[in-house]
Amino acid sequence: QKTDIRAKISQNPQKSQIMTIRQQPTSPSLNHTPSHDFPKRYRLLGSDDFKAVFDAPIKKIHTAHLLAFIAKGSADSSRLGLAITKKKLKHAVARNRIKCLTREAFRQQRSQFETIDIVVIVKASYDKRFDIGQEVDELFSKIHQKFGQSKTD
């Protein structure tokens, strides 16, 4: 059951507005959806983690604008690190978008990877009309071909 909360907002005593806020019930829903989080255990956090991947990659995977460094993982699951610099992408919106798309692609496929550490960097800037999401998908498709769990060494 939804409840209405009415709050009176007034900046001027003669002019006031009424704002209605709808609250969702606090009881848990019956349909459980899978988690869409990106917890710390799936991230490369420290500079030592990034340095280990940059210094000893077992594979580098290229696309037109992106480069992924792959190293054997030291944790119990695959981890992702992002090194998206202001030098390559001037606008924060573009940097945040590529980070969001990369995290989402990794989150959807992380259970299918061997235990690897991945660091993604931007090689070259791109026009804001360019569909970088397609290139992120292409990058993770290449990673999956090389490091999918079904692949035997």
Side-chain angles (χ1 to χ4, degrees):
Q1 182 176 12
K2 293 182 179 179
T3 59
D4 287 336
I5 299 174
R6 298 193 188 278
K8 188 174 185 177
I9 302 173
S10 64
Q11 295 175 353
N12 187 339
Q14 294 148 347
K15 292 184 178 182
S16 64
Q17 298 175 344
I18 302 289
M19 180 176 70
T20 303
I21 302 169
R22 292 204 169 250
Q23 283 186 329
Q24 295 295 330
T26 57
S27 62
S29 64
L30 298 175
N31 298 333
H32 179 63
T33 57
S35 176
H36 295 288
D37 60 349
F38 189 56
K40 287 186 177 185
R41 69 178 176 267
Y42 298 125
R43 294 186 239 165
L44 291 174
L45 296 173
S47 60
D48 292 342
D49 294 336
F50 281 87
K51 187 171 177 18
V53 176
F54 285 132
D55 288 348
I58 55 173
K59 185 76 176 167
K60 294 178 188 176
I61 298 179
H62 300 264
T63 62
H65 300 96
L66 302 174
L67 173 61
F69 291 84
I70 314 289
K72 282 292 180 191
S74 58
D76 58 345
S77 61
S78 295
R79 299 183 301 169
L80 175 69
L82 299 169
I84 312 299
T85 63
K86 196 173 184 179
K87 185 176 182 179
K88 298 292 182 184
L89 293 177
K90 303 286 186 223
H91 300 284
V93 172
R95 291 192 304 274
N96 291 338
R97 177 164 168 71
I98 196 165
K99 286 189 270 187
C100 180
L101 292 170
T102 306
R103 283 186 200 115
E104 181 62 15
F106 176 78
R107 189 192 61 78
Q108 289 177 351
Q109 297 184 25
R110 71 178 172 230
S111 63
Q112 300 169 6
F113 293 145
E114 298 172 9
T115 303
I116 55 175
D117 289 343
I118 305 168
V119 175
V120 176
I121 66 168
V122 176
K123 291 194 306 189
S125 62
Y126 53 88
D127 188 57
K128 66 180 179 181
R129 294 179 298 250
F130 181 74
D131 183 16
I132 195 67
Q134 185 176 3
E135 196 162 318
V136 169
D137 291 340
E138 177 188 339
L139 179 71
F140 276 91
S141 175
K142 288 180 177 182
I143 294 171
H144 185 264
Q145 287 174 359
K146 298 282 184 184
F147 297 99
Q149 282 185 343
S150 61
K151 181 146 178 90
T152 57
D153 291 341

